[in-house]
Amino acid sequence: MTYDVYWELDNIDPGPQASGAQLGMDPPTGTVTIIQDYCNNNPYNVDGTCTGGDVFQTLMVTSPPCTTNPTMDPTDCQANLAFNPFLDSAGVKTIIELGASSSFDSLTGTIANTPEPATWLLGFGGLLTIRLLRTRKV
């Protein structure tokens, strides 16, 4: 049995960009495959094709080889992906394929955002201010 789930990754603030993604499942039984396709800065069409052409990057986790006890060895049941280049937005297609008598309890997906340049400036500015105030007191 196959399930297709389409969703949009949109950063509301134009500053941060998505730098990567993580996908995992817990705990699988039987044959389970979960795939996420990312369509860079474009949504998916109704027919399931990427508006901008080719799929940008793909993330996949599958059982087997994923263990049936992810608490003991969670790295087997998750996959990581670094976006190159970073994404402002993306259409995401999640495909879940279940074999006969297969199941899983949960699906986790995480998108990592890069900090805005102003965040770094504020942090370094604060450290510089603390340094300047400390030197004046001595």
Side-chain angles (χ1 to χ4, degrees), residues 26-83:
D26 176 33
T29 58
T31 304
V32 180
T33 301
I34 303 173
I35 302 167
Q36 280 191 336
D37 291 333
Y38 296 87
C39 184
N40 188 14
N41 295 322
N42 290 297
Y44 274 91
N45 296 315
V46 176
D47 65 359
T49 59
C50 180
T51 302
D54 293 335
V55 171
F56 173 63
Q57 284 181 300
T58 299
L59 186 58
M60 181 174 71
V61 62
T62 184
S63 166
C66 179
T67 63
T68 56
N69 190 354
T71 305
M72 299 301 286
D73 192 7
T75 56
D76 279 356
C77 292
Q78 52 186 314
N80 298 298
L81 174 67
F83 295 134

Side-chain angles (χ1 to χ4, degrees), residues 128-138:
L128 181 61
T129 302
I130 291 169
R131 175 71 176 140
L132 289 173
L133 291 174
R134 289 189 70 180
T135 55
R136 289 187 180 208
K137 286 183 179 181
V138 175

